[in-house]
Amino acid sequence: MTTKPSKGNRTGLTLFGLVLLAAGGLALARALGAFGGDAARRPVLDAGTTSFAATTPWFWPVVAAAGVVLALVGLAWLLALLRVDRPRRLRLESGASGVTEVDAYPASAALAEQVSAYPDVRRAHAVLRGPSDHPHLDLGVSAVAPADLGALVTRLHEEAVPGLRTTLGLRRLPTLVRVRLASGHRTRVVH
């Protein structure tokens, strides 16, 4: 599943990277003499440009304003990247009699604990994402080699995910399962 923000981030980063690559490549080519020996020895800004910047009173305030705008755009982009699409509460029912909601974290933590208790599973991490009335599950599982991954995925598909879906009263719970195979022995927690 690809979201619009991730497409926008990739597009923006690609364009920004291409602009920086082109500018750096042109500067390197000029310094190495690709545009002639005179171009390599001349300053980047000619005397006319330097004179214009020194004699025009509005030049440096415009440069400063452009820098502030660029910084604000970068800050907004960074804040958008840090925004998390995890619902705090899941809406199970809504109607004339009221709304039934549950906390999302305990539901996903219980699933992670259940999956962590499976044989050959070192640890599991579950996160419910998306809108509160149509969440999707992101489940990460770290299995110990040599685990039977087919049996593990089958058990997740037939037991763990349907159990959470039934508990939450959802008809659908789209799920992304990431299984990582780790070497070493399973760590056990003794209470």
Side-chain angles (χ1 to χ4, degrees):
M1 173 196 287
T2 304
T3 61
K4 288 181 183 178
S6 65
K7 284 182 184 178
N9 286 332
R10 281 195 303 270
T11 303
L13 286 173
T14 300
L15 292 175
F16 187 62
L18 289 174
V19 167
L20 290 178
L21 183 66
L26 287 173
L28 182 64
R30 180 179 175 184
L32 293 176
F35 301 114
D38 287 342
R41 287 186 288 281
R42 276 194 321 245
V44 175
L45 298 177
D46 62 359
T49 306
T50 306
S51 165
F52 177 78
T55 59
T56 308
W58 54 264
F59 180 78
W60 291 114
V62 167
V63 169
V68 168
V69 168
L70 188 61
L72 290 175
V73 167
L75 180 63
W77 193 357
L78 180 62
L79 291 175
L81 289 174
L82 295 176
R83 186 177 55 222
V84 180
D85 64 343
R86 296 181 189 173
R88 299 208 186 277
R89 301 185 63 74
L90 294 174
R91 178 165 292 168
L92 301 180
E93 275 184 31
S94 62
S97 61
V99 176
T100 305
E101 293 182 337
V102 296
D103 286 334
Y105 177 75
S108 57
L111 176 70
E113 187 176 328
Q114 173 190 351
V115 173
S116 292
Y118 288 178
D120 296 328
V121 173
R122 178 176 285 169
R123 72 180 145 268
H125 179 73
V127 177
L128 288 163
R129 300 187 187 277
S132 65
D133 51 350
H134 298 295
H136 60 274
L137 177 65
D138 189 355
L139 179 60
V141 179
S142 179
V144 179
D148 183 0
L149 297 181
L152 176 61
V153 171
T154 300
R155 188 167 182 193
L156 293 172
H157 177 72
E158 293 178 354
E159 182 182 317
V161 175
L164 179 63
R165 186 180 66 232
T166 302
T167 300
L168 297 176
L170 299 170
R171 282 187 238 148
R172 292 185 66 240
L173 182 59
T175 303
L176 172 64
V177 177
R178 294 185 183 103
V179 178
R180 186 176 76 85
L181 198 57
S183 61
H185 301 289
R186 176 179 159 78
T187 56
R188 296 214 183 256
V189 178
V190 178
H191 296 281

